[in-house]
Amino acid sequence: MGSIYISNGLKIKGVYLKVALKIIDKSTKKTDKINFCYLCTNLNLHSYFMKTLKDFNFNAKKAIIRVDFNVPLDEHFNVTDATRIEAAKPTIDAILAQGGSVILMSHLGRPKGKEDQFSLRHIVAKCSEILGVNVQFAADCIGDTAQNAAHNLKQGDVLLLENLRFYKEEEAGDVDFAKELASLGDIYVNDAFGTAHRAHASTTIIAQFFPEHKCFGLLLAKEIESLNRVLNNSVKPVTAILGGSKVSSKITVIENILDKVDHMIIGGGMTFTFIKALGGKVGDSICEDDKLELALEILHLAKQKNVHIHIPVDVVAADAFANDAHTQIVDVREIPDGWQGLDAGPKSLANFKEVIMASKTILWNGPLGVFEMESFAKGTITLGNYIAEATENGAFSLVGGGDSVAAVKQFGLEDKMSYVSTGGGAMLEMLEGRTLPGIAAILD
């Protein structure tokens, strides 16, 4: 990584830390500022540099908060899952309690221009209900409408701006658009982990207009801390459970976390690429034939790093991809032609239980089977119960990634996990070791 040049400032554990740490390559002498976020996250220094709500006095201040209120709506525009609104409530409550006012900005869906079906006015009532205040609504996010609404805010007021993505400038990361948004508030708060991997105007560019007055919200800070606890400050043994259909979609994650885990459980459709690479018969199961060599390389690398890889030994095989298909339990290496593996079998689950119950830190990303179909949900449910039991016994469990999050919610396991991440793509990119623009912009 090069040498770290540090000088006067805060002294922690015998090391003087300069406010603006720079990583300088010994050979080129070039400063790599983009590694600042990586440094803070991967060297466990993040807590010393992360500005959060506690670093500011919000009394009589207007906080402009980037939230992720991209919530599902039914055909009558009723919110069907308010989890993301509820997740932002602690940050909003904390600012209001100090005598501040709040301006909320978010996107909803993927509108092409200004389309009423994607208007955030549809969620105002639900926001008011959850936050316990009468949420005001501005029919635009910039211009006179937004300026007047923000200007008239009083202490304790909450204003929701119209959909940011009604303007193409949002996703383009337009500086002028970000500047207009910034003009509405006194302090910028990013509390949207789900969009932290996007260099959009409201998630990244806007931060430059608040050089000394920007911070993480409680939700985003918790996301960073939870991931850091798994990846860099974990209690061993550490187990990562990776599901999903394709090895190719998880290869970067696997490579990045092999140095950080003791055990890796591989499940879902990925199983069959590994099994075929090892000479097994996978029948009609999903398999990436062009990734067989890659699967063997992963197994070899894991062995070099003394990481124990656990793959299903039996599966629930079906003669069709359907809930009412005929099923049988078969050896994962001997799946008959015309049959496909759709869930982990009982012997596999028994093996996984032994690993999970001995773990002190658990990362779960991806289901073990096609849990959306009741006939193939048992593996994922059972795995979730094992993790819940291990958590109750003192392990730290982090669940992240769209499908695994959906599974713990569907099966009532959410409250039994240490932390359930709100960001699918953002979490995956952090697991891959990438610097997230929305996080780097606050740390810069």
Side-chain angles (χ1 to χ4, degrees):
M1 182 173 65
S3 57
I4 304 172
Y5 281 68
I6 52 182
S7 62
N8 58 9
L10 183 63
K11 186 177 182 181
I12 301 170
K13 296 181 181 178
V15 180
Y16 285 96
L17 300 174
K18 193 175 179 181
V19 173
L21 277 172
K22 296 179 180 180
I23 303 173
I24 304 178
D25 187 277
K26 288 180 179 178
S27 58
T28 64
K29 300 298 182 184
K30 290 182 179 178
T31 299
D32 185 8
K33 284 195 71 179
I34 196 64
N35 273 334
F36 181 72
C37 178
Y38 177 89
L39 174 75
C40 290
T41 302
N42 291 279
L43 296 190
N44 298 319
L45 300 177
H46 72 287
S47 60
Y48 300 115
F49 294 94
M50 286 202 327
K51 281 191 174 182
T52 60
L53 302 187
K54 63 179 172 51
D55 294 300
F56 294 93
N57 182 356
F58 288 91
N59 184 42
K61 299 292 185 181
K62 294 173 183 175
I64 182 162
I65 311 177
R66 183 33 159 117
V67 292
D68 183 6
F69 284 0
N70 185 29
V71 295
L73 306 174
D74 64 18
E75 65 273 17
H76 302 296
F77 300 107
N78 297 308
V79 177
T80 57
D81 184 351
T83 302
R84 290 179 174 177
I85 301 174
E86 292 164 351
K89 179 176 167 61
T91 292
I92 297 167
D93 285 349
I95 293 170
L96 296 181
Q98 284 192 25
S101 55
V102 167
I103 301 166
L104 302 172
M105 50 181 180
S106 178
H107 73 284
L108 178 64
R110 298 181 180 275
K112 297 177 180 178
K114 298 182 179 180
E115 299 181 78
D116 183 68
Q117 63 176 316
F118 296 111
S119 173
L120 283 170
R121 71 180 179 84
H122 299 304
I123 73 168
V124 171
K126 178 58 70 173
C127 288
S128 298
E129 174 190 325
I130 291 171
L131 299 178
V133 298
N134 183 27
V135 175
Q136 302 173 35
F137 179 69
D140 207 340
C141 59
I142 57 173
D144 291 342
T145 299
Q147 289 286 345
N148 292 335
H151 177 75
N152 293 328
L153 281 183
K154 299 180 178 62
Q155 288 176 282
D157 285 351
V158 177
L159 171 68
L160 176 64
L161 302 178
E162 183 56 284
N163 195 336
L164 294 163
R165 291 189 184 174
F166 279 0
Y167 292 88
K168 66 181 184 300
E169 289 83 356
E170 160 65 2
E171 292 183 271
D174 184 81
V175 175
D176 292 332
F177 181 71
K179 187 175 182 179
E180 280 206 65
L181 294 173
S183 69
L184 301 176
D186 302 308
I187 302 172
Y188 171 63
V189 181
N190 192 343
D191 211 27
F193 183 60
T195 57
H197 60 311
R198 307 294 189 192
H200 293 171
S202 67
T203 62
T204 304
I205 311 305
I206 188 175
Q208 67 187 266
F209 299 105
F210 298 89
E212 302 298 330
H213 296 90
K214 56 187 176 182
C215 67
F216 295 109
L218 299 176
L219 174 63
L220 184 45
K222 183 69 173 177
E223 294 274 2
I224 297 170
E225 289 164 1
S226 296
L227 269 167
N228 185 67
R229 184 169 175 179
V230 169
L231 296 179
N232 306 298
N233 196 27
S234 54
V235 179
K236 290 181 172 291
V238 182
T239 296
I241 303 157
L242 299 179
S245 59
K246 296 182 178 181
V247 176
S248 56
S249 66
K250 296 289 174 73
I251 178 59
T252 311
V253 174
I254 293 172
E255 290 176 338
N256 188 54
I257 66 176
L258 274 178
D259 286 323
K260 309 171 190 298
V261 303
D262 303 294
H263 298 270
M264 183 177 292
I265 293 173
I266 292 175
M270 286 196 298
T271 300
F272 308 107
T273 300
F274 283 90
I275 293 301
K276 189 169 184 178
L278 291 168
K281 299 176 182 178
V282 299
D284 290 355
S285 304
I286 185 172
C287 179
E288 292 180 282
D289 289 330
D290 61 335
K291 296 294 185 292
L292 301 183
E293 283 298 320
L294 176 60
L296 293 176
E297 289 173 12
I298 291 171
L299 295 176
H300 178 67
L301 185 60
K303 187 175 182 179
Q304 284 184 325
K305 295 178 181 292
N306 200 30
V307 176
H308 302 281
I309 301 289
H310 306 272
I311 303 175
V313 294
D314 61 348
V315 293
V316 179
D319 61 358
F321 190 80
N323 192 47
D324 58 356
H326 296 102
T327 63
Q328 60 175 322
I329 307 296
V330 298
D331 186 308
V332 73
R333 299 164 300 178
E334 298 290 343
I335 302 175
D337 291 340
W339 292 73
Q340 54 188 305
L342 297 181
D343 197 10
K347 291 180 181 177
S348 302
L349 292 173
N351 293 342
F352 296 163
K353 181 179 183 179
E354 186 176 342
V355 175
I356 291 167
M357 298 313 296
S359 301
K360 295 299 182 184
T361 304
I362 302 165
L363 168 67
W364 183 15
N365 176 257
L368 290 187
V370 188
F371 73 92
E372 297 88 350
M373 298 184 193
E374 185 179 354
S375 297
F376 311 107
K378 183 177 180 180
T380 299
I381 295 172
T382 303
L383 177 73
N385 284 325
Y386 293 160
I387 298 172
E389 185 178 347
T391 304
E392 187 177 358
N393 291 339
F396 178 81
S397 56
L398 171 62
V399 182
D403 287 342
S404 47
V405 171
V408 296
K409 289 182 178 180
Q410 180 176 329
F411 303 124
L413 296 168
E414 188 173 9
D415 293 337
K416 298 179 181 180
M417 306 294 165
S418 301
Y419 193 74
V420 179
S421 177
T422 60
M427 180 176 171
L428 275 178
E429 291 200 12
M430 281 195 76
L431 290 176
E432 290 172 352
R434 299 190 196 181
T435 296
L436 273 56
I439 293 175
I442 300 294
L443 293 171
D444 187 19

